[in-house]
Amino acid sequence: MKMAQAGHRSARVRAAAGLVFASAMVLVASCGGGSNNAAGIKNGGILRVGMTQTIDNLNPFVGFEQVSYDIWETIYPQLDQYNTRTLAIEPDFATSWTTSPDGRTWTFHTRPHAEWSDGKPLTAADAAWTINTIIKFKSGPTANLGGDVAHLNNAVATNSTTLVLHYAQPVANVLPNLQVIPILPEHVWAPVAGTSGKGLRSYANVPTNGHPVVGGGPFTLVSYQSDQLALFHRNPHWYGPKPHIDGFGIQFFADSNSLIQAMKSGGIDAVASPAGVPPTSVSALRVPGIHMYVGPSLSWPDFIINANTHKSQHRELLNPLARKAFEYAIADPADPGCDRRHRCHGRAELHELSL
């Protein structure tokens, strides 16, 4: 494992990280019925996924855990996204973008005729409202995403398919920052925000009275039971390529033992916990019909230190020696899976604290 800053930030490419698949799934399609196409991909059905980490909150201004970010990247659009093979930034809701010579103005052209899952227009105005709301309340309700709009003055939708961002100074990581921001439907969230923004953190953002959460991603959240189950259906209004599966469900398990047992018994089709399958359970899953990825860890824990040189409290943490002390304190020399260089299970890299 490698300790790094902002480990919660993930691209949609990471949503399936650490999966262990049952053979009933053909390629990326799910089990549970469906038809085959010429490419041999099975279409239709519901993919049943199990994990031990739960969703801390479905509200993008409150939640912080990896699973929550994966959910938002599934039900909401982003301006840009990571390519699943090359990890290069590529268009998503934005089809193209340009920057001014001084690097302070970014112009994005967004997809025309896009719709939210409730059929209402999804336009550049929704992106502008989301970004401006984060900027407006970044010292309060929207602080979780405040760092992603650093040095950003405002966002302007000059028309339904053009978004212009005005920065106070050039910013090197504009595109990675925007990839983290879920574009929210203004017609749903603006009444919630009000004039003070206080409602932004109290909004549950869960399916209500049989109505799914309004989104603009490939799937919509149609049912949710905290710490138990989340069910997603394919969004027929999504602007992107049609998913092969009709939907997927996530079942949350209290411990890895019950998770592994459900996998072995066929109760679920895949394991997708951010930490993957415990090393002690690998041998138990080496059975016909289960496909397993074994290799370097696909996730890591965070220990994030506020290194803002202007902060007034806990300034002792600005001392690099203090951070180094934390690094050595966290590594457990008694862990039989770690050697004297803090390498665990033979595949992890030397621990590093975020600076």
Side-chain angles (χ1 to χ4, degrees):
M1 294 181 291
K2 183 177 181 180
M3 307 189 76
Q5 185 176 14
H8 68 276
R9 293 170 179 260
S10 69
R12 189 172 294 156
V13 61
R14 255 209 223 159
L19 288 180
V20 177
F21 294 107
S23 63
M25 297 164 51
V26 180
L27 297 181
V28 296
S30 78
C31 57
S35 60
N36 294 330
N37 61 21
I41 297 176
K42 186 177 180 181
N43 290 305
I46 301 296
L47 174 66
R48 303 167 303 170
V49 180
M51 62 176 60
T52 52
Q53 184 177 351
T54 58
I55 299 170
D56 59 334
N57 202 294
L58 285 165
N59 184 325
F61 301 116
V62 180
F64 194 77
E65 295 294 338
Q66 173 68 59
V67 176
S68 302
Y69 273 78
D70 290 340
I71 298 304
W72 301 325
E73 291 174 352
T74 299
I75 65 176
Y76 292 121
Q78 294 86 37
L79 287 172
D80 58 284
Q81 194 53 262
Y82 288 100
N83 182 285
T84 57
R85 293 181 176 84
T86 67
L87 300 185
I89 291 286
E90 63 182 15
D92 193 319
F93 179 54
T95 57
S96 63
W97 50 80
T98 58
T99 59
S100 62
D102 63 3
R104 295 192 297 176
T105 302
W106 286 68
T107 302
F108 294 83
H109 298 284
T110 62
R111 294 179 182 258
H113 314 301
E115 295 180 342
W116 292 103
S117 58
D118 61 1
K120 295 186 181 298
L122 163 55
T123 71
D126 291 292
W129 180 87
T130 300
I131 293 170
N132 286 329
T133 299
I134 295 172
I135 295 172
K136 183 178 181 180
F137 302 113
K138 64 182 179 181
S139 295
T142 63
N144 268 10
L145 296 173
D148 299 305
V149 295
H151 310 297
L152 181 54
N153 289 333
N154 59 62
V156 179
T158 57
N159 57 50
S160 63
T161 58
T162 305
L163 175 71
V164 182
L165 305 184
H166 299 285
Y167 285 84
Q169 65 186 60
V171 175
N173 59 339
V174 167
L175 295 177
N177 280 345
L178 294 175
Q179 189 279 325
V180 180
I181 297 176
I183 299 173
L184 302 176
E186 181 180 3
H187 65 282
V188 173
W189 284 84
V192 171
T195 57
S196 66
K198 291 183 178 179
L200 291 172
R201 288 186 61 84
S202 61
Y203 186 57
N205 201 34
V206 297
T208 305
N209 298 325
H211 297 288
V213 172
V214 177
F219 295 92
T220 59
L221 177 62
V222 299
S223 179
Y224 177 65
Q225 300 174 47
S226 181
D227 298 334
Q228 297 182 52
L229 184 69
L231 181 62
F232 302 81
H233 285 174
R234 186 168 57 202
N235 177 11
H237 296 276
W238 187 43
Y239 51 76
K242 180 180 178 180
H244 292 292
I245 57 177
D246 294 328
F248 67 95
I250 302 177
Q251 182 177 351
F252 302 100
F253 291 84
D255 55 72
S256 59
N257 290 332
S258 55
L259 174 70
I260 298 304
Q261 185 57 41
M263 186 70 187
K264 292 173 64 177
S265 65
I268 57 176
D269 304 310
V271 173
S273 290
V277 174
T280 53
S281 300
V282 171
S283 59
L285 290 176
R286 291 189 183 278
V287 296
I290 293 182
H291 304 277
M292 185 183 305
Y293 165 82
V294 178
S297 176
L298 297 176
S299 65
W300 62 92
D302 301 49
F303 188 80
I304 303 175
I305 293 176
N306 183 354
N308 186 342
T309 57
H310 300 291
K311 68 180 184 178
S312 58
Q313 295 181 323
H314 304 297
R315 292 187 59 82
E316 65 276 8
L317 295 178
L318 299 178
N319 185 340
L321 292 178
R323 298 199 294 274
K324 189 173 184 179
F326 273 111
E327 177 178 351
Y328 282 97
I330 289 173
D332 183 4
D335 186 344
C338 299
D339 61 24
R340 296 178 65 182
R341 295 192 63 195
H342 306 168
R343 297 180 184 273
C344 302
H345 304 294
R347 297 192 299 272
E349 298 181 27
L350 184 64
H351 285 298
E352 293 180 3
L353 290 179
S354 54
L355 301 177

